[in-house]
Amino acid sequence: MIPVFAVTGFLGAGKTFFLQELLSRPEWAETELLVLQFEAGEQAFSCPHERCRTLYFSLKTVENYPEKIMAQIIRAVEERTPKAVWLEWNGMLSFSLLQGLLLQPPLRNRLRLHKALHIADGAAIETLLGKTGGALPEQVAAADVLVLRNAEPARKRRLRRLLRGYNPNAPVTGGEDAEFIYSQILGMPERPLGFFFLMISLLTGAWLILKPVLEILGLSVNSGINIFLGILLQALPFLITGVLLSSAIQVFLPQGWIERRFPKSLTGGLLTAVVGGFFLPVCDCAAIPVFKSLVKKGIPLPAAVTFMTVSPVINPVVLLSTYYAFNGSWYMVLSRAFLGIVAAMVIGLTFALRPPRGPVLTAGAGGMFCACGCFGEESAPMTLGRKLVLLLRHAREEFFQVGKYLLLGALFSALFQALGAGQLFLDKSGLGLVVSILFMMAMAFLLSLCSSSDAVVARSLSGLLPGGAIMAFLVFGPMMDVKNLLMLGAGFSRRFILRLFLIIFSVCFGLVLLFSVWGGL
Amino acid sequence: MQARELNKQALLEALCCAGFGGVLLHSLYSGTYLNYVTPRMLPWLLLADAVLFLWTIGALGRLLQPQHRVRTAHCLVLLLPALLLLVPQGSYAGNQLTSGYGGSGAFVRNGTPSSAAAVIATPAITAPGSEMPSPTAETVFSGLSGLDAANRTITISDDEFYPWLVELYANTDRYLGYTITMTGFVFRDENTFAPGQFVPARLAMTCCAADLTPVGMLCKYEKAASLETDSWIMVEGTLFIGEFDGQEEPQIQVTKVIPAQEVPGYIYPY
């Protein structure tokens, strides 16, 4: 089987130039090559030596006479028996078209797509992506190596991040390092399924070996797994609900709808966010995908942040569970709600007073992009049926993206509890108010309890610690914990997440401290 | 003839969505999910199952769409929990809990003593195997068995552990001096219990396995130190009014302790 190397990229990105440079190198001098150009480019490829042949196909031929193309290719392959086939693929043609072509019967038996490289022009790629249809994003997503040419050093990082948004795993190179490119493309084809089964075997092996070892060490693996599964089974349905909601926002809300309807004033926006948060009766796991979606759809950042921080604290389920956990104490319920709302509004306010510099979302701007292969759909008429399919697909992608962080957070929390976190709570009555508050906030962060159940845990600790510390646990926990922090990583920049964490922490701490000193807890 | 290539990522996704969905459905059907979450989660988990089913179909639809870059690691998000759900779990170690004991009045919805409110009725939730009638101020729950008023004894069955707890808390005066029998595991809180005190407890779950809390009545027993923590016992004793955490509550003066069989299943107060 002859390997096929595909070079994709938009017109003018420099595919022909790249190919010319690469194939003129001495390493290819002895290799019989076949070069196919599917591009109406400015430059025609010229063979660097005699053991090379070029075929050229216009766009029209590709679209209308694919059989002719295949016939010509197969003839050339049989005549010369090339060691490798390089092809240059037009930026307006979808990658799946190329794959489909190579999988047709005559070609399928002789050629196999080995690697794909995408050439992007740093000066133009930002404008091109998202404005030239679905083919370009698909090409970026399908590439094994991304070559970013002509990028100003100042914008390099941003451009890399943009490309990574479509293709998280492919290396991005400047293109000058031929050795690197060779190592990427001439290496063995990745075996993703093999990798997957290897992971499973490793996990099973780890389980069989580690479990008895850990038990001897005193770690109750059993409790750990019970807690882990408990957290997961509790959180997964809400995460699924969250991604469904978030995808619905993405698919069904027309761009600009929110911008038109949302209150323009800051206070109006924050208050709307608080009201909206009250009506989202789900775990904090659901709030994060919805938050991401709202930001993407144009809700002003301060209001979106307020929404995200307030909804896990004041939604009806949480308030109800607080009520029951504290033996019907309206005081606790109202204090929790009041502090939650004030904290959330202050947090949102800080983002209004000092807007974050630089992008908040990690991947490209606006529109229905995603790395899930659902491109090219925008051109087709959007019936309700199509929209629903798109919704499900988008939800699935987001679920897997955020889900892996949820798993990590649950694992951490379970480990923490299995190691006997309960022991940490004992005998803390000697600490002062400030230290207790900090301690409880740290525990809330590490335990990552669901906001509808932390009231019970807090209640059981209320004998041991001052009221202010308990309230801090109840207000900070839903807003920010290990699980949330990790989940935010799937879509927001590190700088933004860090800032968010610090602000939430300080505002909660300050407010609870003030409240307990003045008011009385 | 249209030649196609199998989309490995779609295949894996279909298998994992179907696999986890199937394992989850099985645990819902057989009730094992109750080891991890409360019965309240049932509709949500069914929703999750429905979505997983739809995703499986979507993945099957993509089975023949060629895909050059195949990602597989993300499927572990579903595979790992599925595998763990399949592995049989042992019982939860009672004293590894994060939550501590909250008195026999914990979970009972009362007004605080100062507000003097009547006991507030709550919606009854039926979990498989445990009836949870709502407490009212005066009535004995209809249907609570084990009460022998003539001999002044109450035999608390495992299924009615929690309702009896609620009833005894709400109407302590009526049952003062009665002989109570109940089964639980030995729970001790070294820091807040006096020597000679323990609780024959059951575990209550509010939201998920991470918040399991011991519930039961505080017992006074001279030979309490000889009881092995986490062991299951049947306790017989006399009801009296004692004090815990600054509040009055029903407690038991133990007269007899017999080893007992472990009682499976958690209590779901809500």
Side-chain angles (χ1 to χ4, degrees), chain A residues 181-375:
Chain A
I181 294 183
Y182 285 150
S183 68
Q184 294 297 313
I185 62 174
L186 296 177
M188 286 302 291
E190 294 152 6
R191 298 192 178 289
L193 273 193
F195 169 77
F196 189 75
F197 288 118
L198 184 69
M199 286 295 296
I200 298 185
S201 334
L202 280 178
L203 285 172
T204 322
W207 170 260
L208 292 170
I209 299 174
L210 278 183
K211 182 164 189 240
V213 170
L214 288 172
E215 303 227 310
I216 294 173
L217 288 176
L219 180 76
S220 175
V221 178
N222 202 41
S223 321
I225 295 193
N226 265 295
I227 298 176
F228 177 66
L229 283 175
I231 297 177
L232 269 186
L233 284 184
Q234 174 70 31
L236 278 177
F238 290 119
L239 180 63
I240 289 183
T241 314
V243 297
L244 284 175
L245 273 173
S246 135
S247 304
I249 291 175
Q250 283 293 314
V251 173
F252 284 101
L253 281 186
Q255 193 68 23
W257 186 91
I258 289 188
E259 284 155 347
R260 282 195 297 272
R261 305 293 178 87
F262 205 76
K264 294 284 181 288
S265 70
L266 181 62
T267 1
L270 294 183
L271 285 172
T272 317
V274 170
V275 172
F278 181 75
F279 285 109
L280 192 70
V282 292
C283 199
D284 45 351
C285 304
I288 296 203
V290 177
F291 169 58
K292 188 159 64 153
S293 236
L294 291 174
V295 173
K296 271 199 224 161
K297 274 289 175 172
I299 290 226
L301 190 66
V305 170
T306 301
F307 172 81
M308 183 193 86
T309 44
V310 92
S311 65
V313 184
I314 66 169
N315 78 68
V317 175
V318 171
L319 292 178
L320 214 62
S321 75
T322 315
Y323 179 75
Y324 288 139
F326 285 88
N327 286 2
S329 160
W330 276 111
Y331 183 72
M332 284 306 278
V333 175
L334 290 175
S335 322
R336 186 178 195 185
F338 173 72
L339 283 171
I341 292 175
V342 172
M345 289 185 76
V346 170
I347 293 168
L349 201 66
T350 57
F351 279 95
L353 294 174
R354 271 195 83 214
R357 286 170 297 144
V360 149
L361 295 167
T362 42
M368 262 296 299
F369 86 89
C370 46
C372 61
C374 44
F375 311 109

Side-chain angles (χ1 to χ4, degrees), chain A residues 95-96 99-100 103-105 108 112-116 141-145 167-171 190 192-193 195-197 199-200 203-204 207 211 218-238 240-241 243-244 281-282 317 321 323-329 371-373 391-393 395-397 399-401 403-405 407 417-423 425-427 443 447 449-450 452-454 456-457 459-464, chain B residues 1-6 8-9 11-13 15-17 20 24 27 32-38 40-41 43-52 54-56 58-59 62 64-102 105-112 115 120-123 169 189-192 204 206-213 245 247 266 270:
Chain A
F95 194 79
S96 19
Q99 286 183 284
L103 287 171
Q104 295 296 336
R108 185 201 177 85
R112 195 172 142 325
L113 179 63
H114 186 68
K115 296 281 179 175
D144 294 295
V145 182
N167 191 333
N169 299 322
E190 294 152 6
L193 273 193
F195 169 77
F196 189 75
F197 288 118
M199 286 295 296
I200 298 185
L203 285 172
T204 322
W207 170 260
K211 182 164 189 240
L219 180 76
S220 175
V221 178
N222 202 41
S223 321
I225 295 193
N226 265 295
I227 298 176
F228 177 66
L229 283 175
I231 297 177
L232 269 186
L233 284 184
Q234 174 70 31
L236 278 177
F238 290 119
I240 289 183
T241 314
V243 297
L244 284 175
V282 292
V317 175
S321 75
Y323 179 75
Y324 288 139
F326 285 88
N327 286 2
S329 160
C372 61
L391 189 154
L392 279 173
R393 206 187 284 182
R396 188 197 68 228
E397 265 309 302
F399 172 77
F400 281 119
Q401 257 190 330
K404 64 177 179 259
Y405 294 113
L407 219 77
Q417 289 202 37
L419 282 171
Q423 308 306 312
F425 284 118
L426 306 173
D427 203 23
M443 291 305 279
L447 284 174
L449 291 171
C450 203
S452 34
S453 69
D454 54 9
V456 173
V457 177
R459 171 68 174 92
S460 69
L461 300 168
S462 56
L464 302 166
Chain B
M1 181 186 64
Q2 279 286 326
R4 294 296 204 163
E5 187 182 64
L6 187 67
K8 300 198 181 80
Q9 180 170 334
L11 179 66
L12 200 59
E13 282 178 3
L15 282 175
C16 286
C17 284
F20 181 72
L24 183 63
S27 82
T32 38
Y33 79 104
L34 292 170
N35 284 336
Y36 309 108
V37 289
T38 64
R40 224 178 42 213
M41 284 299 290
W44 294 100
L45 288 167
L46 285 172
L47 169 71
D49 249 323
V51 176
L52 284 165
L54 289 173
W55 283 344
T56 310
R62 280 170 20 242
L64 293 177
Q65 264 177 35
Q67 188 170 335
H68 181 61
R69 294 274 298 169
V70 169
R71 291 179 300 127
T72 54
H74 60 289
C75 295
L76 283 171
V77 172
L78 288 178
L79 189 71
L80 200 63
L83 288 176
L84 284 175
L85 274 173
L86 287 173
V87 173
Q89 299 301 325
S91 62
Y92 198 95
N95 278 289
Q96 283 267 342
L97 302 166
T98 310
S99 302
Y101 179 64
F107 295 102
V108 178
R109 278 80 70 192
N110 274 0
T112 53
S115 64
I120 296 146
T122 62
Y169 189 87
D189 186 347
E190 308 284 316
N191 299 287
T192 45
T206 320
C207 174
C208 65
D211 59 48
L212 284 171
T213 314
D245 201 21
Q247 296 216 356
Y266 300 129
Y270 306 122

Side-chain angles (χ1 to χ4, degrees), chain A residues 9-16 39-42 119-121 124 128 149-150:
Chain A
F10 206 73
L11 181 64
K15 300 189 288 296
T16 323
E39 173 73 83
E42 295 147 2
I119 319 288
D121 180 359
L128 289 175
R149 295 181 60 251
N150 199 16

Side-chain angles (χ1 to χ4, degrees), chain B:
Chain B
M1 181 186 64
Q2 279 286 326
R4 294 296 204 163
E5 187 182 64
L6 187 67
N7 186 334
K8 300 198 181 80
Q9 180 170 334
L11 179 66
L12 200 59
E13 282 178 3
L15 282 175
C16 286
C17 284
F20 181 72
V23 170
L24 183 63
L25 199 63
H26 176 259
S27 82
L28 292 178
Y29 185 71
S30 67
T32 38
Y33 79 104
L34 292 170
N35 284 336
Y36 309 108
V37 289
T38 64
R40 224 178 42 213
M41 284 299 290
L42 186 62
W44 294 100
L45 288 167
L46 285 172
L47 169 71
D49 249 323
V51 176
L52 284 165
F53 176 67
L54 289 173
W55 283 344
T56 310
I57 298 190
L60 289 174
R62 280 170 20 242
L63 218 51
L64 293 177
Q65 264 177 35
Q67 188 170 335
H68 181 61
R69 294 274 298 169
V70 169
R71 291 179 300 127
T72 54
H74 60 289
C75 295
L76 283 171
V77 172
L78 288 178
L79 189 71
L80 200 63
L83 288 176
L84 284 175
L85 274 173
L86 287 173
V87 173
Q89 299 301 325
S91 62
Y92 198 95
N95 278 289
Q96 283 267 342
L97 302 166
T98 310
S99 302
Y101 179 64
S104 60
F107 295 102
V108 178
R109 278 80 70 192
N110 274 0
T112 53
S114 57
S115 64
V119 175
I120 296 146
T122 62
I125 300 166
T126 319
S130 65
E131 266 291 327
M132 220 71 61
S134 25
T136 56
E138 296 160 329
T139 60
V140 177
F141 300 136
S142 55
L144 268 190
S145 62
L147 174 65
D148 185 353
N151 292 320
R152 293 170 59 89
T153 64
I154 301 176
T155 313
I156 299 182
S157 73
D158 299 327
D159 288 340
E160 293 172 339
F161 187 90
Y162 184 72
W164 265 118
L165 212 63
V166 174
E167 170 69 5
L168 289 173
Y169 189 87
N171 299 315
T172 317
D173 296 326
R174 192 183 311 179
Y175 302 103
L176 276 180
Y178 271 54
T179 307
I180 319 274
T181 312
M182 60 168 72
T183 309
F185 68 90
V186 177
F187 176 79
R188 253 190 285 260
D189 186 347
E190 308 284 316
N191 299 287
T192 45
F193 290 2
Q197 280 186 327
F198 73 98
V199 175
R202 295 279 299 280
L203 289 173
M205 187 193 287
T206 320
C207 174
C208 65
D211 59 48
L212 284 171
T213 314
V215 289
M217 278 201 276
L218 203 59
C219 293
K220 280 210 168 89
Y221 186 48
E222 315 90 47
K223 297 193 236 149
S226 67
L227 294 172
E228 192 189 322
T229 314
D230 279 344
S231 62
W232 285 84
I233 52 170
M234 175 145 69
V235 159
E236 192 183 285
T238 323
L239 190 75
F240 71 99
I241 295 188
E243 198 233 328
F244 180 78
D245 201 21
Q247 296 216 356
E248 282 190 347
E249 60 167 31
Q251 295 180 357
I252 295 190
Q253 182 68 48
V254 175
T255 48
K256 194 161 71 175
V257 168
I258 317 171
Q261 279 265 0
E262 176 181 338
V263 179
Y266 300 129
I267 289 174
Y268 309 99
Y270 306 122

Side-chain angles (χ1 to χ4, degrees), chain A residues 423-499:
Chain A
Q423 308 306 312
L424 282 174
F425 284 118
L426 306 173
D427 203 23
K428 285 285 183 295
S429 41
L431 299 171
L433 181 64
V434 172
V435 182
S436 318
I437 292 182
L438 286 173
F439 172 73
M440 282 305 273
M441 285 175 76
M443 291 305 279
F445 181 75
L446 292 170
L447 284 174
S448 294
L449 291 171
C450 203
S451 53
S452 34
S453 69
D454 54 9
V456 173
V457 177
R459 171 68 174 92
S460 69
L461 300 168
S462 56
L464 302 166
L465 291 150
I470 302 289
M471 191 49 78
F473 185 86
L474 291 174
V475 172
F476 181 65
M479 292 189 181
M480 180 58 70
D481 54 35
V482 170
K483 230 170 38 202
N484 291 359
L485 196 68
L486 289 174
M487 288 202 286
L488 283 169
F492 290 98
S493 71
R494 296 245 170 96
R495 184 190 240 162
F496 173 73
I497 298 176
L498 185 65
R499 179 178 166 179

